[in-house]
Every structure is written in structure tokens, then in C-alpha cells.
Amino acid sequence: MEETEKKDISESRAFGIAVIALVYIAAAAGGIALGLLLPFGLWLNTLLADIAATVFVFIFSVALRNASVYDAYWSVQPIVILAACLAVSGASPAGLIIFVPVCVWGVRLTVNWAYTFKGLGAQDWRYTMLKEKTGAFYPIINFIGIHMVPTLVVWGCTLPAAYAVVLKPEINAGYIIFAALVLTSCVWQGITDAQMHVFRARGSGGFIREGLWKYSRHPNYLGEISVWWAVALASLCVQPGMWYLIFGAVANTLLFIFISIPLAEGHQSRKPGYEEYRRATRALLPLYKRSRTAEPKGENE
């Protein structure tokens, strides 16, 4: 009877989301408090606070035996950082113009995560695969690769916006255009996710070859990459001397190209017709690709 009750709880989406929300709230509160107490500059204060919050989430992911407890963290992380910066430094046109689209990005991505969340008993297949492959080294891979690296990359992506919030530079046309591009990229991501949900609901299997997925195997990743390049370039338009802040967007792009895409491609390659699908469809950029092979049908990551 007890085992059945435990299983029911682990499979409850509402319970799992509630637990993760409480963990995130506690992590955010602790991180913000630490950031306010630290005597360093913006970049180091936010970095150390972010690391501390990630360690807190990691402890709970280990306790709950599910690394996917972290999955929504990096979509909530920028909102918390920028909101804290706004609260401390005060609102300004430059701060609000970049804060709002980043919030839209974070809320949309978090809602998408909640929609696909299956409960604390389910873990992302990539983490399970890493656990099987790394064995005794998995705790290290879990802490560094699954938790800390994404935190550091997204922190780097968020930093240009944080400086725009705190320094309150004069806005210009370029700043507004790139802030609008953040929203455009969010819409792009939202469309790709919706198309994937519809496709999966049909249960036809294989590879999705419709909508924005027709010309790209990973249009959702392209949207994510575009969001953070838009944030970095918006900041660069009003703070040209801080060009080095694009390092976050660069790191994010490399993460997708060398880790996320190869992992997804490796998973897809086990399905029949993958080679034909790969030859007919570009990996990232949604450009037409002429192929002599017939177009297969099916499912992506």
C-alpha cells in the first residue's frame, strides 16, 4: 500500500511542480539575500549568488533522485536576476525594455516545461543516458554538466541585460530593435514547441516534417540561440565599450552546437530513415536543402 502511494505521488504532475516551485522559491530567496550581502561588483555578486542557488537546487535533485528538478531553473534564473537588479537600482526605460521580453521568454519556456512535465518519477532521457554511460562518475557529471554549466552559460547570457538595468544607459533605435527581436525569437520558439506538441499528440512517430520543422531539424534551438544574441546585441548598442559581454551568447551557441544538437541527433539516429532525413533537412538554419532522397516522416527531440 505504501509503495503504491509513493508511486502515485511521484507520478503526480501537480505535486511535482509544487515541490519544484518551493525549491526554486527558497533558492531564489537565498540567492538574492546572498547577492545583497556580498561586497563585490554586479557580475561577481550575481555569479556567486547564482552558483549558491544552483547548489541548493542540486541538493534537492539528488535527494529526489531526479536531475530534471533543475530543468526549469535556467528559464526562471534570468527573471530573478533582472528583477533583483530592477528592485535594487530602480526602473528605467532601458531596464524595462529589456526586462519585459526576457520575462516573456522565461515565462513561456517555464509554461512549456510545466506542460511536458510528467512528475518527479520521470527524468529527462539525456540524464538517464549519462548516468548509464558514466557510472560512478555520474554525480560529478550531474553537478557540473547538468546543473552548473547551464547555470554559468545562462548567467553569462543574462549579464548584458543586467548591466543595462543597473547602468540605465540612454536607449537608441538599435536597442529597441534587438529587444523586439527577443520577442520575435520567443514567438518563433513558441510556434516550434506548439507544432511539436501537436505532432507528438498524433502519435505517428518518426520525424516531424511540417511547419517550421520542415527546413530545420532544430528550429527550437535556433530560437533559443537568437534570444540571447538579441539580448547581447541590444546591450552592445547602448554600451559599446562592454563588447566582451557577448561571451554568454557565444557560450550558449557553442553549447547547443557541440552538446545539445549532437545529443539529440544521436538519439534520433536510432530511428529508421534518419540518414535520409538528415540529408534532406538542415540541422539549424531553416534554409531549403535539395536532396535526391524522398522526404521521410516522423518525430524530433
Side-chain angles (χ1 to χ4, degrees):
M1 184 69 176
E2 290 183 3
E3 291 183 3
T4 303
E5 290 178 355
K6 288 180 180 179
K7 184 178 180 181
D8 290 342
I9 290 175
S10 68
E11 293 178 352
S12 169
R13 293 179 67 249
F15 176 77
I17 290 173
V19 169
I20 292 173
L22 289 173
V23 171
Y24 285 10
I25 291 170
I32 291 172
L34 178 61
L36 293 173
L37 291 172
L38 290 171
F40 311 113
L42 174 64
W43 74 269
L44 189 53
N45 279 9
T46 55
L47 174 60
L48 294 176
D50 209 356
I51 289 174
T54 302
V55 170
F56 185 85
V57 173
F58 170 73
I59 291 170
F60 275 88
S61 76
V62 172
L64 294 169
R65 299 180 182 180
N66 190 338
S68 283
V69 168
Y70 175 82
D71 282 354
Y73 180 89
W74 58 274
S75 61
V76 174
Q77 171 188 355
I79 297 176
V80 173
I81 291 174
L82 295 184
C85 289
L86 273 172
V88 171
S89 62
S92 69
L96 292 174
I97 286 173
I98 201 65
F99 176 66
V100 171
V102 170
C103 276
V104 171
W105 166 85
V107 170
R108 190 213 67 80
L109 203 56
T110 305
V111 169
N112 186 68
W113 163 82
Y115 179 80
T116 59
F117 181 71
K118 295 181 175 64
L120 292 173
Q123 181 175 255
D124 190 298
W125 64 266
R126 284 165 279 222
Y127 307 156
T128 302
M129 179 197 70
L130 286 172
K131 186 175 182 178
E132 292 172 352
K133 286 187 174 182
T134 58
F137 295 99
Y138 177 69
I140 298 174
I141 299 298
N142 186 13
F143 177 69
I144 297 176
I146 296 175
H147 288 74
M148 199 55 64
V149 168
T151 284
L152 295 178
V153 170
V154 177
W155 166 79
C157 289
T158 309
L159 203 56
Y163 272 104
V165 168
V166 171
L167 298 181
K168 304 177 182 179
E170 292 293 325
I171 61 175
N172 54 34
Y175 188 77
I176 295 173
I177 290 170
F178 282 114
L181 184 57
V182 177
L183 287 174
T184 304
S185 299
C186 289
V187 172
W188 174 282
Q189 275 188 297
I191 292 172
T192 63
D193 286 341
Q195 290 171 345
M196 177 60 75
H197 293 323
V198 170
F199 177 79
R200 285 177 171 167
R202 291 203 299 263
S204 56
F207 306 96
I208 180 171
R209 296 300 305 275
E210 55 195 49
L212 296 175
W213 298 84
K214 185 175 182 179
Y215 301 114
S216 172
R217 303 198 296 275
H218 308 281
N220 51 343
Y221 291 167
L222 177 61
E224 182 67 17
I225 290 170
S226 299
V227 164
W228 295 115
W229 273 107
V231 169
L233 293 175
S235 178
L236 191 60
C237 285
V238 294
Q239 301 167 137
M242 304 181 76
W243 57 267
Y244 46 85
L245 291 179
I246 67 169
F247 80 90
V250 172
N252 183 62
T253 303
L254 295 176
L255 183 68
F256 276 102
I257 291 175
F258 293 107
I259 297 179
S260 298
I261 290 178
L263 277 175
E265 294 285 299
H267 184 65
Q268 292 289 78
S269 66
R270 293 176 292 181
K271 299 177 182 178
Y274 169 76
E275 283 303 319
E276 290 80 6
Y277 167 63
R278 184 183 63 81
R279 286 195 293 268
T281 314
R282 295 188 185 277
L284 196 62
L285 297 179
L287 301 174
Y288 178 75
K289 187 175 184 181
R290 182 171 296 177
S291 174
R292 296 178 181 177
T293 57
E295 291 185 355
K297 298 178 180 179
E299 177 185 3
N300 278 39
E301 73 267 40

